[in-house]
Amino acid sequence: MMFAMRQFGPIAGIVAPWLRKRFSCFFAIHGGTPDVSKKNGQGLRVSSSPIILWFRRDLRLSDHPALHEAAQTGRRVIPVFLDDEVTATLGAAPRFRLGLAVESFGDALGRHGSRLILRRGRALEVLRALIAETGAGAVWWTRAYDPDSKARDTEVKAALRAEGVDARSFGGAVLFEPWTVETGQGGYYKVYSPYWRAVKDRDPGLPMPRPARIFAPEVWPASDSLSDWRMDVPMRRGADIVRGWQSPGEDAAADMLGSFLERRVEGYKARRDFLAEDATSGLSEGLSYGEISPRTIWHAGRRAMEEGAAGAEHFLKELVWREFAWHLAHHCPGLATENWRPEWAGFPWDTDEDRPEVVAWKQARTGIPAVDAGLREMYVTGRMHNRARMIVASYLTKHLMADWRIGMHWFADCLTDWDWAANAMGWQWVAGCGPDAAPYFRVFNPVGQQEKFDPDQSYIRRWIAEEQGQPPDTALAYFDAVPASWGLAREARYPAPVVTPEAGRKRALSAYEAWKADRE
């Protein structure tokens, strides 16, 4: 089990149109005109002031609890996206992809008679300014669970409430709030299998439809121009290559889910690990930026499973693996900074990320085709096959004895489907120091993995150009995507292994045995 959504790959003829209707058959959709004196369930008058709806990584109209509730009030809604202290810390590829998601969502709001206001700066200060400009009486948002977002949101909620503003957070990013899933003893789950058993029959509720209407303010506040934010700049020349592989937006995510259900769910469990095959859903990006909700995917997958699709239950298990990662992220805020198993604090991983072998790994020039092909796929597309992620991570942390945080940070800079919790837990899982981790002595043999999951070398040929007479465009694109400062030429020979599989395995196991002996 591994990263991002473990590369999601959930019988569609009827499911795709079902998704397009956004579950409208389940709900009465709010319409009409604003009611400035509407009563709530307790008979109290609700404020007629606008609601600022603060969007973050929840860029969709369907199954969005905060948006649904705001539209139901009949009050005027001001959708806002902030380039704030949290988004500013994103790596190059996630920031680039977030820009595409914001652009797509702004267009979707425009088609819905609304718009997305863009502002840059520290969240609390910008929101205060917007409240003053618009007379808004409420700021609502979808909860996030990584430490930086939680710290920001706690500060914003406390400060705005103290100033008389209705600051409120809603669910929507996960199936179940992390604190609502407990063991029999009342603690949090530390192992995936019992977590799966605890939630597999639990009802997350039906997805909410997109609102029929979002009431606009009488006067819109000023907005920054997204192009002025230049969110693609950190990608440098790689942006032009990676952009062609992106499919941002809510409609694209719904289409991916429908296509997967129609064409690939049957063989998902059996074929998802084969590197060259299109056997997964491709939904990791849509989930990461909230372009599709986990609840929408869950219900589609459950329907497929109930209709007999062979791979649907395993698909749901992969969705719950992501859920488990965020469950742990909430309860273990050090998941991305500290060994989850504290006894691993003294393990002799090398922390030098400028070591030649590690630089070769970053540049996809290790001389191990299965490792290099995975990394090159990432530089060209922004994503990496999940099986390749495990091969790549195992080689770094075991054959090269590099600290898992080096790889985690590199992925956080290079993956367009980067997910804070799944990335951190995935690296710790492979390294052996994390929750429910693979034993450290399980060292992936990259040659054996290639022979098993890419037997005809289709994946290798797709991404490695060297020593091919007529390499495909996918392989050649690597040289255009990576930084020019690397000085890599298409005519270069493929390198000899920086560490052979045999030597790397021997070194890793020797270090493990010595460390274990020291602890006994």
Side-chain angles (χ1 to χ4, degrees):
M1 300 178 180
M2 185 57 169
F3 302 99
M5 211 191 128
R6 300 217 311 178
Q7 191 136 357
F8 259 107
I11 267 188
I14 60 172
V15 174
W18 171 66
L19 286 168
R20 289 189 179 281
K21 291 179 181 178
R22 298 299 193 269
F23 302 92
S24 59
C25 57
F26 295 123
F27 298 92
I29 301 178
H30 175 77
T33 58
D35 179 2
V36 298
S37 61
K38 187 176 180 180
K39 293 183 178 180
N40 65 12
Q42 288 73 45
L44 301 174
R45 298 284 179 181
V46 299
S47 171
S48 61
S49 62
I51 298 170
I52 291 175
L53 201 54
W54 178 18
F55 286 88
R56 295 97 72 83
R57 298 174 79 94
D58 54 341
L59 300 171
R60 63 182 183 272
L61 297 173
S62 304
D63 196 28
H64 193 294
L67 173 61
H68 183 82
E69 179 70 18
Q72 290 289 328
T73 67
R75 293 162 64 181
R76 303 186 184 276
V77 177
I78 305 172
V80 171
F81 182 86
L82 307 182
D83 187 14
D84 61 17
E85 63 268 34
V86 173
T87 60
T89 65
L90 291 175
R95 183 169 176 80
F96 159 73
R97 179 56 173 81
L98 178 61
L100 300 182
V102 170
E103 180 181 32
S104 178
F105 184 61
D107 292 343
L109 280 171
R111 294 191 297 270
H112 215 63
S114 185
R115 63 178 69 174
L116 186 61
I117 302 302
L118 307 179
R119 292 288 179 93
R120 171 176 275 176
R122 189 166 173 269
L124 179 57
E125 296 170 2
V126 175
L127 290 170
R128 278 173 167 158
L130 278 167
I131 291 166
E133 292 173 36
T134 64
V139 179
W140 295 356
W141 62 85
T142 301
R143 279 187 285 276
Y145 309 96
D146 62 281
D148 289 347
S149 295
K150 286 167 71 173
R152 174 198 60 192
D153 296 351
T154 298
E155 178 190 32
V156 167
K157 184 178 285 187
L160 294 186
R161 284 183 172 178
E163 295 162 12
V165 177
D166 175 19
R168 197 186 311 178
S169 61
F170 291 75
V174 293
L175 291 169
F176 308 107
E177 297 298 337
W179 52 88
T180 67
V181 183
E182 294 183 333
T183 66
Q185 292 72 43
Y188 68 94
Y189 281 92
K190 302 176 182 180
V191 179
Y192 168 76
S193 294
Y195 182 87
W196 160 254
R197 291 192 294 271
V199 304
K200 67 184 181 70
D201 296 318
R202 188 170 175 176
D203 182 13
L206 289 171
M208 299 173 176
R210 63 175 59 184
R213 181 177 178 185
I214 303 169
F215 296 113
E218 294 180 0
V219 178
W220 284 100
S223 174
D224 291 355
S225 169
L226 184 61
S227 60
D228 290 342
W229 286 2
R230 305 182 70 196
M231 297 180 78
D232 61 343
V233 166
M235 286 284 285
R236 293 173 284 184
R237 64 179 190 159
D240 292 336
I241 304 299
V242 176
R243 186 178 285 108
W245 295 85
Q246 307 305 303
S247 299
E250 182 174 1
D251 289 342
D255 287 344
M256 288 180 189
L257 178 56
S259 175
F260 174 73
L261 290 167
E262 184 175 16
R263 299 180 178 90
R264 301 187 299 281
V265 68
E266 283 287 345
Y268 177 72
K269 182 177 181 180
R271 308 304 301 177
R272 74 191 189 285
D273 282 323
F274 285 87
L275 295 164
E277 294 192 19
D278 180 17
T280 62
S281 75
L283 286 169
S284 55
E285 284 188 7
L287 270 173
S288 181
Y289 300 97
E291 295 165 331
I292 191 168
S293 75
R295 190 159 56 180
T296 296
I297 297 172
W298 176 262
H299 281 283
R302 290 284 298 191
R303 176 174 290 193
M305 184 179 74
E306 291 163 3
E307 293 176 356
E313 183 177 24
H314 202 82
F315 176 73
L316 293 175
K317 287 182 176 180
E318 302 291 351
L319 181 63
V320 171
W321 175 258
R322 172 188 181 271
E323 193 83 4
F324 179 56
W326 282 109
H327 176 80
L328 286 170
H330 170 74
H331 292 286
C332 309
L335 189 64
T337 56
E338 305 164 2
N339 295 305
W340 190 81
R341 298 178 184 274
E343 66 271 21
W344 282 81
F347 190 78
W349 277 306
D350 195 312
T351 60
D352 182 6
E353 61 181 298
D354 296 321
R355 186 163 48 106
E357 293 87 350
V358 174
V359 171
W361 179 88
K362 289 181 178 181
Q363 295 182 352
R365 298 269 298 167
T366 67
I368 305 296
V371 174
D372 295 338
L375 288 161
R376 294 187 188 197
E377 179 188 15
M378 179 172 68
Y379 301 145
V380 173
T381 71
R383 298 179 297 276
M384 189 192 301
H385 191 285
N386 186 66
R387 174 58 55 171
R389 297 185 197 210
M390 291 189 277
I391 297 168
V392 162
S394 181
Y395 189 79
L396 179 71
T397 58
K398 295 178 180 178
H399 290 84
L400 301 186
M401 289 292 294
D403 192 293
W404 58 271
R405 282 157 284 222
I406 294 173
M408 182 194 69
H409 291 310
W410 191 247
F411 272 24
D413 200 47
C414 298
L415 284 173
T416 54
D417 65 356
W418 173 79
D419 175 287
W420 188 93
N423 192 41
M425 188 171 74
W427 275 95
Q428 292 225 46
W429 184 84
V430 170
C433 58
D436 207 9
Y440 183 81
F441 52 79
R442 182 188 179 191
V443 181
F444 276 36
N445 182 333
V447 175
Q449 290 285 303
Q450 176 189 318
E451 292 172 348
K452 184 175 181 179
F453 296 113
D454 189 34
D456 62 358
Q457 298 191 34
S458 295
Y459 183 76
I460 301 300
R461 290 195 301 271
R462 183 182 300 165
W463 299 114
I464 297 181
E466 294 94 321
E467 301 177 13
Q468 287 198 67
Q470 293 182 312
D473 291 341
T474 49
L476 294 173
Y478 158 76
F479 296 96
D480 297 323
V482 299
S485 60
W486 289 4
L488 302 180
R490 297 183 180 192
E491 301 77 20
R493 292 182 61 83
Y494 189 64
V498 294
V499 175
T500 66
E502 298 79 9
R505 175 181 174 80
K506 182 178 180 180
R507 180 171 64 175
L509 294 180
S510 295
Y512 174 72
E513 292 299 332
W515 169 75
K516 187 170 67 171
D518 287 343
R519 293 178 58 246
E520 291 175 350

